[in-house]
Amino acid sequence: MHLNPAAFAGYRATPRRARGYTGPMASLPRPSRFAAPLARAGVLACVALAAAFALRLLVIEPASIAHACDPAPWSGLCALRSAAVRLFLNQEIGWLAFAAGAAATVLRGPRLATAALAAGAAGLVLYSYEPSALGALLGALMLARTSAPPASTAISPA
């Protein structure tokens, strides 16, 4: 099979190839500048999710800690546990995620959307799944909307 060199006349090498990189990832396209905020928000949501899991499994759920904190729930380290339990008693973290998601939708703010996604991920683990799911969904939708490349303005008149 013979390749026609004229077919590659308009081909421009990627900057990685221009620098001489010939490794296995040289032919992959470079990530767009629109993917960075979405990836950053995803990492932050994963960190919030891991912290919420750690809080739930290491501080809130163990029966030994609950029994040790029964006599004086607001003294010493038991105050941290009592504050965490109080945080999701009325689903405050879920409503925070929902409020941040709604504000991100209205104000089109990527930082608010990131906060909604992170608080929603933590709220899903910390027993506040209904408003947290809505907040995380609104945050993710706003991040997807703000991370999308701009639409083409070259519309032909009909």
Side-chain angles (χ1 to χ4, degrees), residues 45-97:
C46 287
V47 168
L49 188 68
F53 265 121
L55 181 69
R56 178 178 173 171
L57 296 177
L58 299 176
V59 176
I60 295 169
E61 284 189 357
S64 60
I65 295 176
H67 291 306
C69 290
D70 255 352
W74 292 102
S75 66
L77 291 177
C78 291
L80 173 68
R81 181 184 183 278
S82 298
V85 169
R86 185 126 175 116
L87 181 69
F88 60 80
L89 197 61
N90 295 321
Q91 297 186 350
E92 277 104 2
I93 193 164
W95 291 113
L96 172 74

Side-chain angles (χ1 to χ4, degrees), residues 112-155:
L112 282 171
T114 302
L117 187 62
L124 286 171
V125 174
L126 294 175
Y127 312 104
S128 180
Y129 51 88
E130 293 162 343
S132 295
L134 288 174
L137 180 65
L138 286 173
L141 287 173
M142 281 311 303
L143 283 169
R145 175 79 176 147
T146 57
S147 296
S152 174
T153 57
I155 299 174

